[in-house]
Amino acid sequence: MSPRALDLAGAPSVALVNGFDAFVTGEIPRLRQALVARYGVDVGSDATSAATLWAWEHWEQLSRNDRPIAYLYRVAQSSQRTTWAWRKRITTTFPSEAATTDRTAAVDLGLVLAKLPTNQRICVLLVHAHAWSYAEVAELLGMSVDAVTNHVHRGTTRLRKLLKEDQ
Amino acid sequence: MRSTTPPEFQQRLAAYGTILDRARPRVRVPQPEGRTRRIMATAITATLGVVTLALTQILPNPSKPSLVASEPVDQRMVFPIDGPVTFIDSFGATRRDVEGTSYIDQNVDLFARAGTRVLALRAGRISQLNETPRLGNHVWITDDDGNRYLYAHLQKSTSLREGQVVKAGQVIGRIARRGSDTAPSHLSLGIHLPLAMAVNPFPIIQTVRTGSIAPSYSPSSTVVVRLRTVASGDGKSIITGIEGDGASPSVGPGQSQLNVVMPAAAPITALIDPSRNIPPFRASTYVWTTSATLWSERLRHLPPASREMRAARADPDNKQLAVAGQRRELHRQRQAHHNVQPDLSVAHRQGRLNDPSNEEQLRSCRSEQAIRVVLVRRSQCH
């Protein structure tokens, strides 16, 4: 049951509620990082909200899962997949690099990131921008560590090439 | 392979990670119409007019640090127009921009004479100054709770700059001569919550204007609210209104259906008796946090008139089109009806609905489904 659902037989379990709270505090920000890397800020944030709602509704099921964040990542993907036809019109957007930093890069990283293939972008951002380990990314995406290593390598190589080309 | 990435490039990516963490969605992501059962169920289960409860979120949070450490948090809210003004609840209205594209307006238009001073509704920091064809010159102000306030159709100002801290009531511009190509001079005011979408500013500014906001409301205090149904029927209750008791945020008029004592820092679910017949409505889905921070919000509208219906109206003599239009209209009504059917699968799964012939049990579960709220503490929002 969801930790906060009205239980007609009694109050919700304190352990369930605390577990959910800890999960929201610790894991949802990381899930958001992954979904933002996947879908961009706008859709990624929305997907995070949808996944959080799902987690709340299915907390008991989720709390038994060995890899809850990976499971929620799939849930978020599914929730977004239902809107694929409609979302074709929405481009994956990333914030400008210059908006919040002083550096005046010749080419904005936010623009170039959108050109990367999806898996390469996710791996590069999670490993280099958010300091995830290769194993954590592999667990999230359901890949082997070697595959993640390849994606990161190819992604960074391609990213640097794109940055140089655009200069 | 890891060593092939130069350190400066890694630093650049790491800095960009911080930007991504802080980035907030700039546009609301609309949901497609009538798609999955899950979205429909969500639209029912968490359907609440918590638009109004957003008010509590933008009220002071004593635990949060000030924008400027040496100054106390400016907790006031000031009506944003300094002069005669006319406004109605136009949130969610369908509009057309200068290019003829249809869109849902997420702001409330406050009509006033050109040149009227526009004041900051709440203290914050200017996060964006921009000019677009749809919004004209506009200002985004972010308060220290992360809420973003949009003031659009302003005259061009050279005195403002991004990052500037503004106080509640500070002049941030004047209303432009023309709001847009089709509307007279007005201010478009929008309120967007952190991590989430637009909420209806109307009840908030209306409350601010009437001065009924409690100045010392604390999110952790107990709030007595009255939930108000605006759509009901057997198993179709939709709560869209909430009223305060004077000491807590008070929003909008309405007939109370149920008094719920709701500790703002604790989980809440409540039951309501679906007993009123209410006119058509727009269902809304909100996931509401303890301090009324909305995690997500999906506005669901009744499906718009279809192409067949429009064609039938344009050519009333064409019987073939008329039949197609009627068929489509019937489907539309069914779809709209289906949108308000409660999803009882959760109750089934949880064993609370183990006897479908038990009317009392069924009614309880249906009612619960209709108003369930998700609460997450403010500190857990990022």
Side-chain angles (χ1 to χ4, degrees):
Chain A
M1 63 176 281
S2 55
R4 292 188 170 91
L6 179 70
D7 187 351
L8 298 181
S13 157
V14 174
L16 277 178
V17 172
N18 290 342
F20 180 73
D21 286 351
F23 181 77
V24 169
T25 311
E27 297 298 324
I28 294 298
R30 287 167 58 78
L31 178 68
R32 183 176 185 270
Q33 290 176 349
L35 290 169
V36 166
R38 169 70 177 84
Y39 293 110
V41 174
D42 298 332
V43 181
S45 300
D46 191 54
T48 310
S49 300
T52 309
L53 175 60
W54 192 96
W56 180 84
E57 286 179 337
H58 302 82
W59 177 241
E60 193 175 12
Q61 172 190 345
L62 191 68
S63 60
R64 288 196 299 264
N65 198 302
D66 294 337
R67 302 182 301 167
I69 188 168
Y71 195 95
L72 269 191
Y73 183 78
R74 296 281 176 275
V75 169
Q77 278 193 314
S78 301
S79 76
Q80 294 308 308
R81 196 170 291 138
T82 57
T83 67
W84 69 271
W86 156 84
R87 278 202 303 103
K88 270 195 212 170
R89 285 171 281 169
I90 290 185
T91 53
T92 305
T93 54
F94 290 94
S96 167
E97 193 183 13
T100 50
T101 58
D102 294 334
R103 70 176 297 137
T104 53
V107 182
D108 199 287
L109 199 54
L111 296 175
V112 182
L113 273 171
K115 297 179 183 175
L116 281 186
T118 307
N119 277 342
Q120 290 181 13
R121 183 176 65 239
I122 297 171
C123 292
V124 168
L125 280 178
L126 292 184
V127 168
H128 286 306
H130 298 302
W132 286 39
S133 70
Y134 283 42
E136 287 172 335
V137 179
E139 184 181 286
L140 178 87
L141 299 177
M143 299 174 176
S144 66
V145 174
D146 289 342
V148 172
T149 311
N150 280 335
H151 280 309
V152 171
H153 175 67
R154 288 171 190 165
T156 46
T157 307
R158 187 164 183 167
L159 197 57
R160 288 167 61 195
K161 189 179 172 188
L162 285 170
L163 288 169
K164 282 179 184 170
E165 280 177 358
D166 285 354
Q167 283 173 357
Chain B
M1 286 186 185
R2 296 184 197 195
S3 61
T4 58
T5 311
E8 60 273 17
F9 189 62
Q10 286 187 358
Q11 286 173 5
R12 188 176 173 185
L13 278 169
Y16 191 71
T18 313
I19 297 172
L20 279 179
D21 279 341
R22 292 176 183 167
R24 296 287 176 257
R26 291 186 303 167
V27 295
R28 188 187 159 275
V29 183
Q31 293 296 315
E33 290 166 0
R35 293 294 186 266
T36 63
R37 179 177 176 80
R38 165 159 172 72
I39 293 178
M40 289 176 182
T42 307
I44 296 304
T45 54
T47 293
L48 261 186
V50 206
V51 175
T52 51
L53 276 178
L55 179 63
T56 58
Q57 194 224 353
I58 53 183
L59 284 171
N61 179 5
S63 63
K64 295 208 82 173
S66 166
L67 283 170
V68 182
S70 59
E71 296 179 6
V73 179
D74 189 355
Q75 299 174 343
R76 291 179 302 139
M77 294 184 78
V78 178
F79 190 74
I81 299 289
D82 183 19
V85 62
T86 305
F87 64 99
I88 60 168
D89 185 0
S90 58
F91 182 80
T94 304
R95 299 278 163 78
R96 285 188 184 277
D97 63 12
V98 289
E99 296 167 350
T101 309
S102 178
Y103 67 97
I104 303 296
D105 193 357
Q106 298 178 5
N107 309 318
V108 163
D109 296 335
L110 296 96
F111 293 91
R113 296 182 64 177
T116 305
R117 297 193 306 169
V118 175
L119 315 177
L121 179 66
R122 188 154 189 234
R125 194 182 294 274
I126 295 179
S127 51
Q128 192 182 355
L129 293 168
N130 205 351
E131 180 177 4
T132 60
R134 186 181 290 180
L135 295 174
N137 282 307
H138 59 272
V139 179
W140 284 95
I141 293 179
T142 306
D143 70 12
D144 61 341
D145 288 335
N147 307 300
R148 295 169 299 135
Y149 302 82
L150 168 69
Y151 306 83
H153 305 306
L154 302 176
Q155 292 177 6
K156 206 156 204 168
S157 168
T158 54
S159 61
L160 299 178
R161 65 181 191 282
E162 288 186 5
Q164 181 181 341
V165 175
V166 294
K167 297 176 180 174
Q170 181 175 331
V171 178
I172 55 171
R174 291 177 182 273
I175 292 182
R177 185 172 296 277
R178 301 283 293 179
S180 64
D181 283 355
T182 54
S185 60
H186 69 275
L187 167 75
S188 277
L189 177 71
I191 300 180
H192 294 238
L193 303 180
L195 260 191
M197 326 310 172
V199 295
N200 189 352
F202 178 77
I204 296 171
I205 55 176
Q206 195 183 39
T207 312
V208 171
R209 199 181 188 203
T210 54
S212 54
I213 277 193
S216 60
Y217 168 72
S218 164
S220 60
S221 64
T222 297
V223 184
V224 179
V225 295
R226 298 180 185 90
L227 302 178
R228 177 165 61 98
T229 48
V230 299
S232 66
D234 187 18
K236 301 175 199 169
S237 291
I238 306 285
I239 314 264
T240 63
I242 230 164
E243 285 182 290
D245 60 353
S248 52
S250 173
V251 183
Q255 196 170 350
S256 65
Q257 288 287 298
L258 177 73
N259 290 335
V260 179
V261 178
M262 181 182 67
I268 172 179
T269 52
L271 297 177
I272 191 164
D273 182 22
S275 59
R276 296 185 70 196
N277 292 318
I278 305 292
F281 58 93
R282 280 197 299 268
S284 311
T285 299
Y286 296 98
V287 181
W288 184 54
T289 66
T290 305
S291 53
T293 300
L294 292 179
W295 268 99
S296 71
E297 161 240 349
R298 296 190 183 88
L299 293 181
R300 291 192 55 78
H301 301 274
L302 295 182
S306 66
R307 189 175 63 248
E308 292 90 340
M309 289 164 60
R310 288 197 299 271
R313 283 181 199 150
D315 186 5
D317 296 334
N318 189 329
K319 288 184 179 175
Q320 197 173 357
L321 281 178
V323 170
Q326 285 172 2
R327 190 183 302 130
R328 185 65 193 172
E329 173 65 18
L330 192 63
H331 173 71
R332 174 173 174 262
Q333 288 178 4
R334 281 179 184 157
Q335 194 178 3
H337 177 71
H338 183 58
N339 284 350
V340 297
Q341 289 301 311
D343 175 22
L344 298 176
S345 60
V346 176
H348 272 297
R349 201 165 53 242
Q350 294 171 358
R352 286 179 287 104
L353 184 60
N354 49 23
D355 180 12
S357 62
N358 186 331
E359 282 298 321
E360 180 65 25
Q361 199 179 50
L362 198 62
R363 194 178 67 80
S364 298
C365 291
R366 279 174 172 166
S367 305
E368 175 203 338
Q369 293 287 328
I371 61 166
R372 194 171 53 196
V373 185
V374 174
L375 297 170
V376 181
R377 291 197 185 94
R378 178 194 290 271
S379 59
Q380 292 162 351
C381 300
H382 48 91

